[in-house]
Amino acid sequence: VQEARLKFDKFLKKLSGLNVNPSETASNGPGQLPGFLPTLHDYLFDPDERRWVAWSALVPAYAPPADGKFSSIVVPTSDTVRTSWLLESVVNGSPAPQPLLW
């Protein structure tokens, strides 16, 4: 999967013709693409903020389950945040329809 994401990322960046900003601290808004993390799959474009946000920046702190059961443990990661966002968008239509790279 990662190899395919790298190929698609390279293709999409070339096709877009937009500048790729390799800085970790720069705010990448419309008209430029983030380039610090390996692929665009590592980012979400936030239309309200009008900038790219790394999925890793959206990972909440771990909180143990209240019931204390091992089967209830879900450790938040970039992947769980991205998957939860996608499922929420598809199932509830919330947030409003947005461009999606999966």
Side-chain angles (χ1 to χ4, degrees), residues 51 64 92 95:
R51 67 183 183 95
N92 295 330

Side-chain angles (χ1 to χ4, degrees), residues 47-98:
D48 297 328
E49 299 274 330
R50 297 183 47 90
R51 67 183 183 95
W52 292 90
V53 179
W55 286 109
S56 58
L58 303 175
V59 177
Y62 172 73
D67 64 8
K69 292 183 181 178
F70 181 77
S71 61
S72 299
I73 295 174
V74 176
V75 178
T77 66
S78 296
D79 290 327
T80 60
V81 170
R82 181 175 32 237
T83 302
S84 296
W85 181 90
L86 176 67
L87 289 173
E88 182 73 23
S89 297
V90 171
V91 173
N92 295 330
S94 172
Q98 299 178 29

